[in-house]
């Protein structure tokens, strides 16, 4: 292009010169060297105006809009795009019109105005399909996916991204392929499917590096950092964020810089280094406000609220959450709204304002339950795993208000919802009917106890955040137990689980694992107690055919009968608190409704004193 420019100037060919300048601008734009790109585009625009070249002028105006969009200067970008759109419509350039409509959609998406963005993207998609522009169609589909992702409509987002990916691969559009892969990774990350997300991000990163796409590389690095952050691998997360931050600053990418700063703040918050976290969040907030990034602003405000909540400065935390909540509702960001409501509920819980906490936790649950329709069963499960703590917190504040019957209903509402919906889909006449399933209320639970002529014992364990060193960790704190007798009488008891880890250096899940194996070493080697992503200890069993054969063979060998300490301990935790409520007639029926790792408790084997 430089040689072409030199020749054009040598022979005085102005159209050729303008074209070469425009092409050079695109090179520097792709490299993230925005100042150089801007200068080339401005020179090209001057020539277009001298020549009265409306097509060239329209293209150059669009390219200048791309520069300002990349810099996060959305008002300037919008003005250039609108001028370009007017010129393109005047000369009947449908392909160019579709491109600029898509770019205007990008402006509004970055401003969090998703309804406007969607309309621009739909117009762009219509034109691309009308003229057979597959690359434009793929880009528009990708953009629509981003809108639905931001609105928490993950099933729709996934479908748009998959269509975009298919088109990009079909036509060898590596940049489009990398973008679609990255966005699919974000869908799976949001749904808690971390292995799938990581694979998509790594593919996107490889393509970005292969083609020197620094912006794409920075984005993929930032997203990989989020995975490691979520998995609690903070050192790895920090390294990815620092690389991403460096690239964003090299490119002058303010939006990317703000995102990386915010994520670095989250690393330090999780490490209990709140002063550092606060500084990163404040920088992120400043950038978001500077460029008009409403979604980024809401996220930064929410993060600052979490810092102040951790520091016990609840009035400040409440104000930050209130501001964040307003933005999430303005944008229609259901995931963000649910997250902020949950966090503010935690503040009210800590303040002992249980009625306010109850309202926020319930509102968070209702918002989040709107995110599930259209997802696969696995996606529903992984999404719910990220949200189940809110059901526990709501039960806790209800019990604090002596609303134990309502807490029982919430326990049932939060229990294996994805599995319940799956059963409903299998049994329903139509898919529509499958989605109307509702958890049983107290009256229905009583009816079940009467109809079965059984005592129903329902468990729910509650986790709380406790400081382990400087870092707040989720730890099992209490076990809630409800006994519903055939007569309809409901009794509530609770068991303190904190002594397990405070005094005995163990957890409920570990006690279950030890008790379940009955001293069988093959079993004990194949059953693990692991830390889940959200910090809960859980029991995992291989349970394969070969494993079961090995266990059975060892069981054939005679073993000395001895007292099983764990079976006694589990009886003390699970049965003793409600022993007076259980039937004394051996033929009467008891139905146990466990929770998480309690499903692996061998209830018939539990031993009393």
């Amino acid at each position: 292009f430089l040689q072409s420019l030199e020749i054009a100037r040598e022979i005085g060919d102005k159209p050729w010169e303008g074209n070469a300048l425009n092409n050079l601008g695109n090179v520097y734009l792709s490299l993230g060297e925005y100042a150089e790109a801007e200068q080339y585009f401005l020179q090209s625009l001057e020539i277009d105006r001298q020549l009265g070249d409306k097509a060239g002028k329209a293209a150059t105006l669009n390219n200048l809009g791309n520069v300002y969009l990349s810099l996060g200067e959305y008002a300037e970008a919008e003005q250039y795009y609108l001028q370009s759109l007017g010129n393109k419509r005047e000369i009947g350039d449908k392909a160019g019109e579709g491109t600029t409509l898509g770019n205007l959609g990008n402006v509004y998406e970055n401003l969090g105005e998703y309804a406007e963005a969607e309309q621009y993207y739909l117009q762009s998609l219509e034109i691309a399909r009308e003229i057979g522009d597959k690359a434009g169609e793929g880009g528009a589909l990708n953009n629509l996916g981003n809108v639905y992702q931001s609105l928490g409509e993950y099933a729709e987002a996934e479908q748009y991204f998959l269509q975009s990916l298919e088109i990009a691969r079909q036509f060898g559009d590596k940049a489009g392929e990398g973008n679609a892969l990255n966005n699919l990774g974000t869908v799976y990350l949001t749904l808690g499917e971390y292995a799938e997300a990581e694979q998509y991000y790594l593919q996107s990163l490889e393509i970005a590096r292969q083609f020197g796409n620094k912006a794409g590389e920075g984005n993929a690095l930032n997203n990989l950092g989020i995975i490691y952050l979520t998995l609690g691998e903070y050192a790895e997360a920090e390294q990815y964020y620092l690389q991403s931050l460096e690239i964003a600053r090299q490119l002058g990418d303010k939006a990317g810089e703000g995102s990386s700063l915010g994520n670095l703040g989250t690393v330090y918050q999780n490490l209990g280094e709140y002063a550092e976290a606060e500084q990163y969040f404040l920088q992120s907030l400043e950038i978001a406000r500077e460029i008009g990034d409403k979604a980024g602003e809401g996220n930064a405000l929410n993060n600052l609220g979490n810092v102040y909540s951790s520091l016990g400065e609840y009035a400040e935390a409440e104000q930050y959450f209130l501001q964040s909540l307003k933005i999430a509702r303005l944008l229609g960001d259901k995931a963000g709204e649910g997250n902020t409501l949950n966090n503010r509920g935690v503040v009210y819980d800590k303040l002992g304002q249980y009625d306010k906490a109850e309202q926020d936790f319930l509102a968070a649950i209702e918002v989040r339950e709107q995110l599930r329709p259209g997802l696969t069963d696995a996606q529903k499960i992984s999404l719910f795993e990220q949200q189940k703590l809110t059901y526990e917190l709501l039960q806790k504040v209800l019990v604090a208000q002596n609303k134990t019957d309502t807490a029982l209903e919430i326990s049932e509402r939060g229990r294996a919802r994805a599995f319940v919906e799956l059963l409903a889909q299998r049994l329903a006449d139509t898919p529509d009917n499958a989605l109307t399933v509702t958890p049983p209320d107290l009256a229905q639970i009583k009816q079940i106890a009467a109809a079965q002529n059984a005592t129903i014992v329902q468990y729910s364990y509650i986790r709380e955040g406790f400081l382990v060193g400087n870092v707040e960790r989720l730890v099992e704190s209490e076990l809630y137990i409800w006994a519903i007798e055939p007569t309809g009488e409901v009794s509530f008891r609770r068991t303190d689980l904190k002594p397990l880890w405070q005094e005995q250096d163990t957890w409920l899940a570990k006690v279950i694992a030890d008790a379940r194996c009955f001293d069988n070493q093959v079993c004990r080697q194949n059953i693990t107690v692991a830390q889940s992503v959200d910090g809960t200890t859980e029991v995992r069993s291989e349970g394969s055919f070969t494993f079961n054969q090995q266990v059975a063979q060892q069981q054939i060998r005679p073993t000395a009968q001895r007292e099983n300490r764990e079976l006694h301990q589990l009886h003390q935790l699970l049965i003793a608190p409600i022993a007076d409520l259980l039937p004394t007639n051996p033929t009467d029926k008891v139905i146990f409704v466990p929770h998480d790792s309690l499903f692996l408790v061998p209830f018939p084997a539990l031993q009393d004193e």
Side-chain angles (χ1 to χ4, degrees):
F1 291 143
L2 285 169
Q3 293 176 62
S4 176
L5 177 62
E6 185 179 353
I7 292 171
R9 284 174 170 168
E10 187 179 327
I11 64 175
D13 186 335
K14 300 302 281 185
W16 188 352
E17 179 183 355
N19 192 38
L21 288 163
N22 202 51
N23 289 333
L24 279 163
N26 280 321
V27 168
Y28 285 102
L29 178 65
S30 298
L31 293 171
E33 301 181 15
Y34 303 124
E36 292 83 350
E38 181 187 24
Q39 290 309 307
Y40 280 114
F41 290 143
L42 286 171
Q43 292 177 62
S44 177
L45 182 62
E46 185 179 351
I47 291 173
D48 293 331
R49 285 172 171 161
Q50 288 173 6
L51 299 175
D53 178 3
K54 290 186 177 180
K57 179 182 174 184
T60 308
L61 287 165
N62 183 77
N63 290 336
L64 279 163
N66 290 338
V67 170
Y68 286 103
L69 177 68
S70 300
L71 290 169
E73 299 180 16
Y74 303 124
E76 291 82 351
E78 182 186 24
Q79 289 308 306
Y80 278 115
Y81 288 143
L82 287 171
Q83 291 178 62
S84 174
L85 183 62
N87 279 270
K88 286 175 176 176
R89 284 176 169 167
E90 187 178 338
I91 63 176
D93 176 8
K94 297 298 287 184
E97 180 183 351
T99 299
T100 303
L101 285 166
N103 290 334
L104 279 163
N106 288 334
V107 169
Y108 285 102
E109 183 188 336
N110 281 294
L111 290 171
E113 300 180 19
Y114 301 123
E116 291 83 350
E118 182 185 21
Q119 290 308 306
Y120 278 115
Y121 291 149
L122 286 171
Q123 292 177 65
S124 175
L125 178 63
E126 184 181 357
I127 288 174
R129 286 175 168 166
E130 179 187 332
I131 64 176
D133 175 10
K134 298 303 286 185
E137 181 182 355
L141 289 165
N142 192 68
N143 289 334
L144 282 163
N146 283 327
V147 167
Y148 286 103
Q149 167 77 12
S150 298
L151 292 172
E153 300 181 18
Y154 305 125
E156 291 83 349
E158 181 186 24
Q159 289 308 307
Y160 278 118
F161 291 142
L162 286 170
Q163 292 176 63
S164 177
L165 179 63
E166 183 181 356
I167 289 173
R169 285 177 167 166
Q170 186 180 344
F171 288 87
D173 175 10
K174 300 303 286 187
E177 180 182 355
N179 200 19
L181 287 165
N182 187 73
N183 291 333
L184 277 165
T186 301
V187 169
Y188 294 115
L189 173 67
T190 307
L191 294 171
E193 300 182 341
Y194 303 118
E196 292 84 348
E198 183 181 24
Q199 289 308 305
Y200 279 111
Y201 288 145
L202 286 171
Q203 291 177 64
S204 177
L205 180 62
E206 182 181 356
I207 290 173
R209 285 176 167 165
Q210 184 181 347
F211 289 89
N213 178 3
K214 298 299 288 183
E217 180 183 355
N219 198 18
L221 288 165
N222 187 63
N223 289 334
L224 281 163
I226 297 174
I227 289 178
Y228 285 99
L229 174 71
T230 308
L231 295 173
E233 299 178 19
Y234 302 127
E236 292 84 348
E238 183 183 23
Q239 289 309 306
Y240 277 116
Y241 291 145
L242 287 171
Q243 293 176 66
S244 174
L245 179 62
E246 183 180 357
I247 289 173
R249 284 175 168 165
Q250 284 174 6
L251 301 178
D253 174 9
K254 300 299 285 185
E257 181 182 356
S259 177
S260 297
L261 286 166
N263 289 332
L264 279 164
T266 306
V267 169
Y268 285 101
Q269 181 182 344
N270 287 338
L271 291 171
E273 300 179 18
Y274 300 120
E276 292 84 348
E278 181 187 22
Q279 289 308 306
Y280 278 115
F281 291 146
L282 285 170
Q283 292 177 65
S284 176
L285 178 62
E286 183 181 357
I287 288 174
R289 285 175 168 166
E290 178 188 334
I291 65 177
D293 176 8
K294 298 302 286 184
E297 181 182 356
N299 194 35
L301 290 164
N302 183 66
N303 288 333
L304 282 163
N306 284 330
V307 167
Y308 287 106
S309 177
S310 298
L311 291 170
E313 300 180 17
Y314 301 126
E316 292 84 348
E318 184 183 16
Q319 288 307 305
Y320 278 115
F321 289 141
L322 180 61
Q323 294 175 65
S324 177
L325 189 59
K326 285 180 180 176
I327 290 174
R329 286 173 171 164
L330 177 69
L331 300 180
D333 175 10
K334 291 191 282 288
E337 181 182 356
N339 192 27
T340 304
L341 283 165
N342 177 83
N343 295 338
R344 191 174 66 173
V346 170
V347 167
Y348 291 135
D349 178 22
K350 290 178 178 177
L351 288 170
Q353 298 177 14
Y354 301 124
D355 55 339
K356 288 185 176 180
E358 176 188 348
Q359 291 172 20
D360 273 357
F361 290 141
L362 186 57
I365 286 170
E366 288 173 349
V367 169
R368 286 170 165 179
E369 287 180 348
Q370 296 173 32
L371 301 175
R372 287 204 296 265
L375 299 180
T376 67
D377 302 315
Q379 289 169 346
K380 287 177 182 177
I381 291 168
S382 58
L383 181 63
F384 175 74
E385 285 299 307
Q386 301 175 81
Q387 301 170 352
K388 64 182 180 182
L389 179 61
T390 309
Y391 291 88
E392 297 172 28
L393 291 169
L394 179 54
Q395 291 173 61
K396 178 174 172 283
V397 297
L398 287 167
V399 168
Q401 298 173 82
N402 203 31
K403 298 180 180 179
T404 56
D405 287 354
T406 309
L408 170 60
E409 292 179 328
I410 294 300
S411 169
E412 188 60 44
R413 182 171 176 175
R415 190 178 303 277
R417 295 301 303 146
F419 179 60
V420 171
E421 289 178 10
L422 172 60
L423 287 179
Q425 288 174 356
R426 296 269 172 89
L427 298 172
D429 296 331
T430 67
D432 290 338
N433 289 338
L435 297 177
T436 60
V437 61
T438 56
D441 58 21
L442 182 62
Q444 291 169 316
I445 293 172
K446 289 180 178 180
Q447 287 172 9
I448 294 167
Q452 295 289 323
N453 192 27
T455 300
I456 297 176
V457 178
Q458 182 153 316
Y459 295 95
S460 182
Y461 67 67
I462 306 301
R463 296 168 295 164
E464 290 184 62
F466 291 92
L467 282 179
V468 180
N470 282 334
V471 183
E472 191 171 73
R473 296 282 186 230
L474 276 178
V475 185
E476 301 155 351
S477 62
E478 273 195 293
L479 188 68
Y480 291 169
I481 314 174
W482 291 269
I484 304 97
E485 298 179 51
T487 60
E489 185 174 350
V490 180
S491 302
F492 173 74
R493 305 284 167 85
R494 54 208 292 185
T495 301
D496 188 5
L497 298 177
K498 292 188 286 295
L500 289 176
W501 54 271
Q502 288 176 336
E503 301 168 12
Q504 302 172 37
D505 193 28
T506 189
W507 299 270
L508 180 60
K510 186 175 185 302
V511 175
I512 293 168
D514 290 337
R516 184 175 174 79
C517 286
F518 298 100
D519 296 320
N520 185 302
Q521 291 307 307
V522 175
C523 170
R524 194 63 190 87
Q525 290 163 9
N526 286 273
I527 199 166
T528 59
V529 179
Q531 197 85 355
S532 68
V533 171
D534 59 13
T536 310
T537 50
E538 58 187 17
V539 183
R540 299 171 187 164
S541 175
E542 180 185 328
S544 67
F545 178 72
T546 305
F547 160 61
N548 289 332
Q549 278 189 319
Q550 292 172 341
V551 172
Q553 288 167 4
Q554 192 192 69
Q555 292 285 59
I556 290 170
R557 298 199 301 272
T559 56
Q561 293 294 319
R562 69 176 184 82
E563 182 180 284
N564 188 311
R565 183 173 65 87
E566 288 79 16
L567 293 177
H568 279 280
Q569 191 171 16
L570 285 175
H571 186 282
Q572 192 64 29
L573 293 170
L574 303 178
I575 305 300
I578 52 156
D580 60 312
L581 303 173
L582 297 178
T584 55
N585 186 339
T587 62
D588 287 352
K589 189 160 60 171
V590 179
I591 299 172
F592 290 102
V593 185
H595 181 206
D596 281 4
S597 294
L598 295 180
F599 275 100
L600 290 175
V601 170
F603 281 95
L606 301 190
Q607 299 172 356
D608 63 14
E609 65 278 2

